[in-house]
Amino acid sequence: HLTDDQGFRLECETWPKLHEIGSAGAYFTKAEMRGLIDAAAERGIRIVPEFGLPGHSIAWQVAYPELAAANPPPSRVGELEGYFSPGIDPVEDGTYTFIDRFVEEMAALFPDPYFHIGGDEVNGRAWHENPDIAAFMAEKGFKRSADLQAHFTTRFAKIVAAHGKVAVGWEEILHGNIADEVIIHLWDKGTYAPELARHPVLTSWNYYLDHQQPSDWLYGKDPLDFKLKDGSSNAPLNVLGAEVTNWSETINGETLDMRTWPRTFAIAERLWSQRDFADGEGHDDLRARMQARSLDLEAAGLMHRARSAEFFADQFEDEAVSALVAEFAELLQPAAYPFFRRRRAILERTLPKLFPLRHEDRYSNVDRLVDNLIPESEIAWAF
Protein backbone atom coordinates (compact mmCIF):
# COMPACT_ATOMS: atom_id res chain seq x y z
CA HIS A 1 0.00 0.00 0.00
CA LEU A 2 2.36 2.62 -1.34
CA THR A 3 0.16 5.68 -1.75
CA ASP A 4 -2.54 7.44 0.25
CA ASP A 5 -3.63 10.92 1.29
CA GLN A 6 -0.77 11.03 3.79
CA GLY A 7 2.00 10.43 1.29
CA PHE A 8 3.34 8.91 -1.91
CA ARG A 9 5.94 6.43 -0.70
CA LEU A 10 7.94 5.30 -3.74
CA GLU A 11 10.43 6.98 -6.04
CA CYS A 12 8.99 7.68 -9.49
CA GLU A 13 11.33 8.82 -12.25
CA THR A 14 8.56 9.51 -14.76
CA TRP A 15 6.68 11.87 -12.45
CA PRO A 16 9.29 12.84 -9.83
CA LYS A 17 7.11 15.35 -7.97
CA LEU A 18 5.12 12.37 -6.67
CA HIS A 19 7.93 11.46 -4.29
CA GLU A 20 9.63 14.84 -4.11
CA ILE A 21 6.52 16.79 -3.07
CA GLY A 22 3.96 14.11 -2.24
CA SER A 23 6.05 12.24 0.31
CA ALA A 24 7.46 14.96 2.62
CA GLY A 25 10.78 13.18 2.06
CA ALA A 26 9.70 9.76 3.37
CA TYR A 27 9.74 7.25 0.53
CA PHE A 28 11.40 4.08 -0.73
CA THR A 29 13.95 4.50 -3.50
CA LYS A 30 13.53 2.12 -6.40
CA ALA A 31 16.77 0.41 -5.36
CA GLU A 32 15.36 -0.13 -1.86
CA MET A 33 12.15 -1.53 -3.32
CA ARG A 34 14.09 -3.97 -5.50
CA GLY A 35 15.88 -5.11 -2.35
CA LEU A 36 12.55 -5.65 -0.58
CA ILE A 37 11.15 -7.58 -3.55
CA ASP A 38 14.21 -9.84 -3.66
CA ALA A 39 14.26 -10.40 0.12
CA ALA A 40 10.56 -11.25 0.08
CA ALA A 41 10.95 -13.65 -2.86
CA GLU A 42 13.66 -15.56 -0.99
CA ARG A 43 11.07 -16.15 1.76
CA GLY A 44 8.21 -17.19 -0.49
CA ILE A 45 6.48 -13.81 -0.22
CA ARG A 46 5.12 -11.86 -3.19
CA ILE A 47 4.91 -8.08 -3.15
CA VAL A 48 1.83 -6.76 -4.96
CA PRO A 49 1.92 -2.95 -5.13
CA GLU A 50 -1.20 -0.90 -4.54
CA PHE A 51 -1.42 2.50 -6.22
CA GLY A 52 -4.95 3.46 -5.27
CA LEU A 53 -7.03 5.75 -7.47
CA PRO A 54 -9.24 7.74 -7.88
CA GLY A 55 -9.68 8.27 -4.11
CA HIS A 56 -7.10 8.29 -1.32
CA SER A 57 -5.02 10.40 -3.69
CA ILE A 58 -4.30 13.74 -2.02
CA ALA A 59 -0.55 13.14 -2.31
CA TRP A 60 -0.89 12.69 -6.10
CA GLN A 61 -2.92 15.91 -6.38
CA VAL A 62 -0.59 18.03 -4.26
CA ALA A 63 2.31 16.91 -6.45
CA TYR A 64 0.41 17.40 -9.72
CA PRO A 65 -2.57 19.74 -9.22
CA GLU A 66 -3.70 19.18 -12.81
CA LEU A 67 -4.92 15.74 -11.70
CA ALA A 68 -7.37 17.23 -9.19
CA ALA A 69 -11.12 17.40 -9.67
CA ALA A 70 -11.60 19.91 -6.84
CA ASN A 71 -11.17 23.63 -7.43
CA PRO A 72 -8.98 24.79 -5.83
CA PRO A 73 -6.94 21.58 -5.69
CA PRO A 74 -5.62 20.29 -2.35
CA SER A 75 -2.60 22.27 -1.19
CA ARG A 76 -1.13 19.97 1.46
CA VAL A 77 -0.67 16.26 1.95
CA GLY A 78 -3.00 14.63 4.49
CA GLU A 79 -6.65 13.98 5.22
CA LEU A 80 -9.38 16.52 4.81
CA GLU A 81 -11.76 17.02 7.71
CA GLY A 82 -15.28 15.72 7.56
CA TYR A 83 -15.36 13.35 4.62
CA PHE A 84 -13.20 11.16 2.43
CA SER A 85 -10.80 13.10 0.27
CA PRO A 86 -11.85 14.24 -3.22
CA GLY A 87 -10.82 12.01 -6.09
CA ILE A 88 -8.76 12.88 -9.12
CA ASP A 89 -10.33 14.10 -12.36
CA PRO A 90 -11.61 10.99 -14.22
CA VAL A 91 -12.68 12.94 -17.33
CA GLU A 92 -9.54 14.62 -18.69
CA ASP A 93 -7.60 12.56 -21.23
CA GLY A 94 -4.44 13.92 -19.64
CA THR A 95 -5.27 11.95 -16.50
CA TYR A 96 -5.03 8.69 -18.42
CA THR A 97 -1.84 9.73 -20.22
CA PHE A 98 -0.34 10.39 -16.80
CA ILE A 99 -1.52 7.02 -15.46
CA ASP A 100 -0.30 5.15 -18.54
CA ARG A 101 3.24 6.45 -18.22
CA PHE A 102 3.17 5.83 -14.47
CA VAL A 103 1.99 2.22 -14.82
CA GLU A 104 4.61 1.56 -17.49
CA GLU A 105 7.38 2.44 -15.03
CA MET A 106 5.89 0.59 -12.07
CA ALA A 107 5.02 -2.53 -14.06
CA ALA A 108 8.69 -2.81 -14.95
CA LEU A 109 9.72 -2.44 -11.31
CA PHE A 110 7.37 -5.02 -9.78
CA PRO A 111 7.67 -8.57 -11.20
CA ASP A 112 4.40 -9.87 -9.74
CA PRO A 113 1.63 -10.41 -12.32
CA TYR A 114 -0.91 -8.55 -10.14
CA PHE A 115 -1.20 -4.78 -9.81
CA HIS A 116 -3.61 -3.30 -7.23
CA ILE A 117 -5.46 -0.18 -8.39
CA GLY A 118 -7.34 0.60 -5.16
CA GLY A 119 -10.74 2.14 -5.80
CA ASP A 120 -12.08 2.20 -2.24
CA GLU A 121 -13.82 4.98 -0.30
CA VAL A 122 -14.17 7.40 -3.20
CA ASN A 123 -15.81 10.73 -2.46
CA GLY A 124 -17.62 11.99 -5.56
CA ARG A 125 -18.61 15.37 -4.17
CA ALA A 126 -15.96 17.25 -6.15
CA TRP A 127 -17.07 15.49 -9.33
CA HIS A 128 -20.61 16.80 -8.99
CA GLU A 129 -19.35 20.30 -8.09
CA ASN A 130 -16.96 20.50 -11.04
CA PRO A 131 -18.99 21.83 -14.02
CA ASP A 132 -16.92 20.05 -16.67
CA ILE A 133 -17.17 16.71 -14.88
CA ALA A 134 -20.87 17.19 -14.15
CA ALA A 135 -21.46 17.94 -17.84
CA PHE A 136 -19.57 14.77 -18.82
CA MET A 137 -21.69 12.74 -16.42
CA ALA A 138 -24.88 14.20 -17.88
CA GLU A 139 -23.71 13.49 -21.43
CA LYS A 140 -22.93 9.86 -20.57
CA GLY A 141 -26.08 9.39 -18.51
CA PHE A 142 -24.10 8.79 -15.30
CA LYS A 143 -26.43 9.55 -12.41
CA ARG A 144 -24.18 8.39 -9.55
CA SER A 145 -20.54 8.81 -8.65
CA ALA A 146 -20.26 5.02 -8.84
CA ASP A 147 -21.08 5.16 -12.56
CA LEU A 148 -18.27 7.63 -13.22
CA GLN A 149 -15.91 5.60 -11.05
CA ALA A 150 -16.74 2.52 -13.15
CA HIS A 151 -15.82 4.50 -16.27
CA PHE A 152 -12.50 5.47 -14.68
CA THR A 153 -11.73 1.99 -13.35
CA THR A 154 -12.48 0.37 -16.72
CA ARG A 155 -9.89 2.60 -18.38
CA PHE A 156 -7.39 2.19 -15.53
CA ALA A 157 -7.67 -1.61 -15.66
CA LYS A 158 -7.18 -1.58 -19.46
CA ILE A 159 -3.99 0.44 -19.01
CA VAL A 160 -2.75 -2.09 -16.44
CA ALA A 161 -3.57 -4.97 -18.81
CA ALA A 162 -1.76 -3.22 -21.67
CA HIS A 163 1.38 -3.30 -19.55
CA GLY A 164 1.10 -7.02 -18.91
CA LYS A 165 -0.47 -7.02 -15.44
CA VAL A 166 -3.77 -8.19 -13.96
CA ALA A 167 -5.63 -5.45 -12.10
CA VAL A 168 -6.90 -5.97 -8.54
CA GLY A 169 -9.35 -3.50 -7.02
CA TRP A 170 -11.31 -3.07 -3.81
CA GLU A 171 -14.95 -4.14 -3.82
CA GLU A 172 -16.22 -0.68 -4.76
CA ILE A 173 -15.01 -1.20 -8.34
CA LEU A 174 -17.52 -4.03 -8.90
CA HIS A 175 -19.63 -2.89 -11.86
CA GLY A 176 -21.02 -4.47 -14.99
CA ASN A 177 -18.47 -2.75 -17.26
CA ILE A 178 -15.34 -4.02 -15.49
CA ALA A 179 -13.46 -6.74 -17.41
CA ASP A 180 -14.03 -10.27 -16.13
CA GLU A 181 -10.35 -10.93 -15.40
CA VAL A 182 -10.10 -8.02 -12.90
CA ILE A 183 -9.83 -9.36 -9.35
CA ILE A 184 -12.33 -8.00 -6.84
CA HIS A 185 -10.84 -7.55 -3.37
CA LEU A 186 -13.55 -7.81 -0.70
CA TRP A 187 -13.19 -5.88 2.54
CA ASP A 188 -16.35 -4.21 3.79
CA LYS A 189 -19.94 -5.10 2.98
CA GLY A 190 -20.12 -8.91 3.06
CA THR A 191 -23.02 -8.95 0.57
CA TYR A 192 -22.38 -8.35 -3.12
CA ALA A 193 -24.07 -8.01 -6.48
CA PRO A 194 -24.39 -11.20 -8.57
CA GLU A 195 -21.80 -9.74 -10.99
CA LEU A 196 -19.16 -10.81 -8.48
CA ALA A 197 -19.48 -14.34 -9.87
CA ARG A 198 -17.80 -13.15 -13.09
CA HIS A 199 -14.58 -12.23 -11.32
CA PRO A 200 -11.77 -13.89 -9.41
CA VAL A 201 -12.06 -12.91 -5.75
CA LEU A 202 -9.60 -12.00 -3.01
CA THR A 203 -11.02 -11.39 0.45
CA SER A 204 -9.81 -9.40 3.44
CA TRP A 205 -13.29 -9.13 4.91
CA ASN A 206 -13.15 -9.90 8.66
CA TYR A 207 -9.34 -10.14 8.69
CA TYR A 208 -8.29 -6.63 9.73
CA LEU A 209 -5.81 -7.02 12.59
CA ASP A 210 -5.89 -3.29 13.33
CA HIS A 211 -9.57 -3.64 14.26
CA GLN A 212 -8.33 -5.48 17.36
CA GLN A 213 -10.78 -8.38 17.35
CA PRO A 214 -9.60 -11.31 19.50
CA SER A 215 -8.25 -14.49 17.96
CA ASP A 216 -11.30 -16.67 18.59
CA TRP A 217 -13.48 -14.10 16.77
CA LEU A 218 -11.05 -14.00 13.85
CA TYR A 219 -10.78 -17.79 13.78
CA GLY A 220 -14.56 -18.07 13.67
CA LYS A 221 -14.78 -16.20 10.35
CA ASP A 222 -14.63 -18.50 7.35
CA PRO A 223 -13.22 -16.86 4.19
CA LEU A 224 -16.34 -17.86 2.23
CA ASP A 225 -18.80 -16.29 4.66
CA PHE A 226 -19.85 -13.55 2.26
CA LYS A 227 -23.07 -13.60 0.22
CA LEU A 228 -24.48 -12.64 -3.14
CA LYS A 229 -27.60 -10.46 -3.19
CA ASP A 230 -29.52 -12.88 -5.40
CA GLY A 231 -29.09 -15.65 -2.81
CA SER A 232 -27.04 -17.91 -5.08
CA SER A 233 -24.41 -20.20 -3.61
CA ASN A 234 -20.85 -19.04 -3.22
CA ALA A 235 -19.56 -22.45 -4.28
CA PRO A 236 -18.98 -21.59 -7.96
CA LEU A 237 -17.03 -18.42 -7.13
CA ASN A 238 -13.35 -18.34 -8.00
CA VAL A 239 -11.89 -17.34 -4.64
CA LEU A 240 -8.14 -17.09 -5.17
CA GLY A 241 -7.34 -16.56 -1.52
CA ALA A 242 -7.46 -14.18 1.40
CA GLU A 243 -5.30 -11.47 2.90
CA VAL A 244 -4.64 -10.53 6.51
CA THR A 245 -4.50 -6.73 6.64
CA ASN A 246 -2.75 -4.61 9.23
CA TRP A 247 -3.21 -0.93 8.48
CA SER A 248 -0.54 1.17 10.10
CA GLU A 249 -2.24 4.25 11.57
CA THR A 250 -1.56 2.92 15.09
CA ILE A 251 1.59 0.93 14.38
CA ASN A 252 5.26 1.79 14.38
CA GLY A 253 8.40 -0.33 14.32
CA GLU A 254 8.14 -1.05 18.04
CA THR A 255 4.47 -2.09 18.09
CA LEU A 256 4.35 -4.01 14.81
CA ASP A 257 5.12 -7.43 16.32
CA MET A 258 2.44 -7.29 18.98
CA ARG A 259 -0.19 -5.97 16.56
CA THR A 260 0.58 -8.87 14.19
CA TRP A 261 1.31 -11.92 16.35
CA PRO A 262 0.08 -14.36 17.50
CA ARG A 263 -3.40 -13.55 16.11
CA THR A 264 -2.16 -14.00 12.53
CA PHE A 265 -1.64 -17.69 13.34
CA ALA A 266 -5.36 -18.02 14.01
CA ILE A 267 -6.34 -16.45 10.69
CA ALA A 268 -3.73 -18.39 8.71
CA GLU A 269 -4.96 -21.70 10.09
CA ARG A 270 -8.56 -20.73 9.37
CA LEU A 271 -7.71 -19.92 5.76
CA TRP A 272 -5.79 -23.16 5.25
CA SER A 273 -8.18 -25.51 7.05
CA GLN A 274 -11.35 -27.39 6.26
CA ARG A 275 -14.42 -25.66 7.64
CA ASP A 276 -15.44 -28.71 9.72
CA PHE A 277 -12.08 -28.77 11.49
CA ALA A 278 -11.96 -25.02 12.11
CA ASP A 279 -15.53 -24.93 13.40
CA GLY A 280 -14.93 -27.94 15.67
CA GLU A 281 -11.77 -29.26 17.29
CA GLY A 282 -9.61 -26.55 15.77
CA HIS A 283 -11.60 -23.91 17.62
CA ASP A 284 -11.73 -25.90 20.84
CA ASP A 285 -7.98 -25.93 21.47
CA LEU A 286 -7.05 -22.81 19.52
CA ARG A 287 -5.67 -20.90 22.47
CA ALA A 288 -3.36 -23.64 23.68
CA ARG A 289 -1.85 -23.97 20.21
CA MET A 290 -1.53 -20.22 19.81
CA GLN A 291 0.27 -19.91 23.13
CA ALA A 292 2.74 -22.60 22.04
CA ARG A 293 3.39 -20.82 18.73
CA SER A 294 3.72 -17.53 20.58
CA LEU A 295 6.55 -18.99 22.65
CA ASP A 296 8.21 -20.17 19.44
CA LEU A 297 8.11 -16.64 18.09
CA GLU A 298 9.46 -15.25 21.34
CA ALA A 299 12.37 -17.69 21.17
CA ALA A 300 13.03 -16.49 17.63
CA GLY A 301 13.39 -12.91 18.89
CA LEU A 302 10.02 -11.34 18.18
CA MET A 303 8.86 -8.66 20.63
CA HIS A 304 5.10 -9.23 20.54
CA ARG A 305 4.97 -9.91 24.29
CA ALA A 306 8.04 -8.07 25.56
CA ARG A 307 7.26 -4.74 23.89
CA SER A 308 4.28 -3.87 26.09
CA ALA A 309 6.16 -4.62 29.31
CA GLU A 310 9.16 -2.58 28.14
CA PHE A 311 6.95 0.40 27.32
CA PHE A 312 5.36 0.53 30.76
CA ALA A 313 8.67 -0.08 32.51
CA ASP A 314 9.97 3.14 30.96
CA GLN A 315 7.04 5.36 31.92
CA PHE A 316 7.92 6.11 35.56
CA GLU A 317 11.09 6.80 37.49
CA ASP A 318 9.82 4.68 40.37
CA GLU A 319 10.39 1.04 39.39
CA ALA A 320 7.66 -0.15 41.76
CA VAL A 321 5.10 2.10 40.11
CA SER A 322 6.22 0.98 36.66
CA ALA A 323 5.90 -2.66 37.68
CA LEU A 324 2.41 -2.08 39.08
CA VAL A 325 1.21 -0.29 35.93
CA ALA A 326 2.72 -3.01 33.73
CA GLU A 327 0.93 -5.66 35.76
CA PHE A 328 -2.34 -3.77 35.48
CA ALA A 329 -1.87 -3.36 31.70
CA GLU A 330 -1.61 -7.15 31.34
CA LEU A 331 -5.27 -7.37 32.35
CA LEU A 332 -6.43 -4.96 29.65
CA GLN A 333 -6.94 -5.13 25.91
CA PRO A 334 -8.09 -2.46 23.45
CA ALA A 335 -11.77 -2.28 22.56
CA ALA A 336 -12.36 -3.87 19.17
CA TYR A 337 -13.24 -1.52 16.33
CA PRO A 338 -16.92 -2.56 15.98
CA PHE A 339 -17.42 -1.80 19.67
CA PHE A 340 -15.73 1.56 19.24
CA ARG A 341 -17.77 2.46 16.17
CA ARG A 342 -21.12 1.47 17.69
CA ARG A 343 -20.51 3.17 21.01
CA ARG A 344 -18.66 6.25 19.83
CA ALA A 345 -21.70 8.51 19.34
CA ILE A 346 -23.12 7.57 22.73
CA LEU A 347 -19.81 8.07 24.47
CA GLU A 348 -19.19 11.42 22.80
CA ARG A 349 -22.56 12.69 24.00
CA THR A 350 -22.43 11.24 27.49
CA LEU A 351 -18.85 11.36 28.75
CA PRO A 352 -18.38 15.15 28.58
CA LYS A 353 -21.23 15.49 31.05
CA LEU A 354 -19.31 13.32 33.53
CA PHE A 355 -15.64 14.07 32.85
CA PRO A 356 -13.62 16.81 31.22
CA LEU A 357 -12.30 15.25 28.01
CA ARG A 358 -9.16 16.27 26.19
CA HIS A 359 -9.06 16.35 22.41
CA GLU A 360 -7.52 13.20 20.93
CA ASP A 361 -6.07 13.30 17.44
CA ARG A 362 -6.97 10.31 15.31
CA TYR A 363 -3.29 9.56 14.79
CA SER A 364 -1.05 9.49 17.83
CA ASN A 365 2.68 9.10 18.34
CA VAL A 366 1.90 5.56 19.53
CA ASP A 367 2.80 6.61 23.05
CA ARG A 368 -0.55 6.16 24.85
CA LEU A 369 -1.55 3.30 27.10
CA VAL A 370 -4.03 1.97 24.54
CA ASP A 371 -1.38 2.01 21.79
CA ASN A 372 0.85 -0.30 23.81
CA LEU A 373 -1.59 -2.89 25.07
CA ILE A 374 -1.23 -6.42 23.77
CA PRO A 375 -4.32 -6.93 21.56
CA GLU A 376 -5.31 -10.02 23.51
CA SER A 377 -4.66 -10.52 27.22
CA GLU A 378 -3.61 -14.07 28.08
CA ILE A 379 -4.54 -13.37 31.70
CA ALA A 380 -8.04 -12.42 30.59
CA TRP A 381 -8.16 -15.65 28.55
CA ALA A 382 -7.27 -17.71 31.60
CA PHE A 383 -9.84 -15.91 33.70
Side-chain angles (χ1 to χ4, degrees):
H1 190 73
L2 291 165
T3 65
D4 215 312
D5 295 330
Q6 291 78 13
F8 192 100
R9 302 303 183 195
L10 181 63
E11 178 186 11
C12 179
E13 295 171 289
T14 305
W15 304 107
K17 292 180 182 177
L18 288 174
H19 68 271
E20 292 171 353
I21 297 175
S23 75
Y27 63 91
F28 294 105
T29 66
K30 291 175 74 174
E32 288 170 333
M33 183 54 66
R34 290 187 188 100
L36 285 172
I37 292 168
D38 291 343
E42 290 171 359
R43 292 157 177 81
I45 299 169
R46 294 159 48 180
I47 291 183
V48 178
E50 179 183 343
F51 297 103
L53 292 172
H56 287 291
S57 57
I58 293 294
W60 301 70
Q61 298 174 52
V62 170
Y64 291 92
E66 61 268 29
L67 294 175
N71 187 19
S75 59
R76 63 180 181 86
V77 173
E79 288 185 330
L80 300 184
E81 292 291 333
Y83 59 91
F84 292 126
S85 56
I88 64 170
D89 187 336
V91 170
E92 283 289 332
D93 285 338
T95 297
Y96 298 98
T97 302
F98 185 103
I99 291 173
D100 182 57
R101 293 184 60 195
F102 173 80
V103 173
E104 180 181 21
E105 179 179 345
M106 295 306 156
L109 175 62
F110 291 92
D112 200 87
Y114 298 108
F115 193 98
H116 208 304
I117 61 176
D120 63 317
E121 298 180 331
V122 176
N123 177 11
R125 176 174 165 181
W127 294 347
H128 292 280
E129 293 175 348
N130 182 308
D132 293 334
I133 297 175
F136 179 88
M137 292 179 68
E139 177 187 341
K140 295 291 187 181
F142 296 160
K143 295 185 172 19
R144 304 173 303 147
S145 299
D147 299 325
L148 182 56
Q149 182 179 349
H151 167 83
F152 170 82
T153 302
T154 299
R155 294 191 64 174
F156 192 0
K158 285 180 179 178
I159 290 171
V160 170
H163 291 289
K165 304 293 186 181
V166 178
V168 184
W170 295 108
E171 62 185 54
E172 287 93 330
I173 75 165
L174 182 60
H175 193 280
N177 295 335
I178 304 300
D180 292 0
E181 63 269 18
V182 173
I183 296 169
I184 306 299
H185 192 165
L186 310 182
W187 73 277
D188 184 32
K189 296 293 188 294
T191 303
Y192 303 99
E195 287 86 355
L196 183 64
R198 295 193 293 108
H199 296 272
V201 172
L202 174 66
T203 180
S204 297
W205 187 54
N206 290 324
Y207 303 131
Y208 274 47
L209 291 176
D210 53 301
H211 284 185
Q212 303 281 35
Q213 282 96 337
S215 58
D216 55 351
W217 187 95
L218 295 166
Y219 193 82
K221 303 300 180 182
D222 191 86
L224 297 181
D225 278 346
F226 54 88
K227 298 178 177 61
L228 300 184
K229 290 179 180 177
D230 64 358
S232 61
S233 169
N234 290 353
L237 294 185
N238 180 17
V239 180
L240 300 180
E243 178 195 44
V244 182
T245 53
N246 206 4
W247 301 103
S248 61
E249 289 93 334
T250 58
I251 296 174
N252 63 15
E254 294 179 323
T255 61
L256 176 61
D257 283 358
M258 69 185 209
R259 291 300 179 91
T260 307
W261 304 104
R263 291 180 302 152
T264 297
F265 280 133
I267 302 175
E269 182 175 290
R270 179 80 216 202
L271 300 182
W272 294 331
S273 299
Q274 294 294 326
R275 186 188 289 257
D276 289 347
F277 170 80
D279 287 345
E281 62 181 290
H283 192 274
D284 293 342
D285 64 355
L286 171 68
R287 289 175 176 172
R289 287 178 291 114
M290 280 187 57
Q291 286 175 320
R293 298 292 76 77
S294 180
L295 293 173
D296 292 341
L297 290 178
E298 203 167 31
L302 269 70
M303 300 292 289
H304 59 293
R305 300 216 283 191
R307 161 62 192 167
S308 183
E310 287 186 356
F311 171 83
F312 291 109
D314 293 339
Q315 295 306 299
F316 305 95
E317 294 183 6
D318 188 320
E319 292 184 5
V321 174
S322 291
L324 185 62
V325 173
E327 186 175 358
F328 175 60
E330 288 183 338
L331 305 172
L332 306 177
Q333 58 191 44
Y337 175 72
F339 173 91
F340 174 76
R341 186 166 62 174
R342 285 195 304 269
R343 304 297 194 273
R344 180 173 180 174
I346 297 173
L347 293 175
E348 287 180 343
R349 287 196 299 266
T350 305
L351 288 182
K353 299 176 182 177
L354 305 175
F355 309 102
L357 296 183
R358 67 177 185 177
H359 171 73
E360 287 286 356
D361 289 330
R362 179 177 177 189
Y363 305 114
S364 80
N365 293 324
V366 198
D367 58 359
R368 303 171 299 180
L369 179 143
V370 70
D371 295 321
N372 291 276
L373 294 177
I374 295 174
E376 201 162 34
S377 167
E378 292 185 6
I379 294 176
W381 270 4
F383 180 79

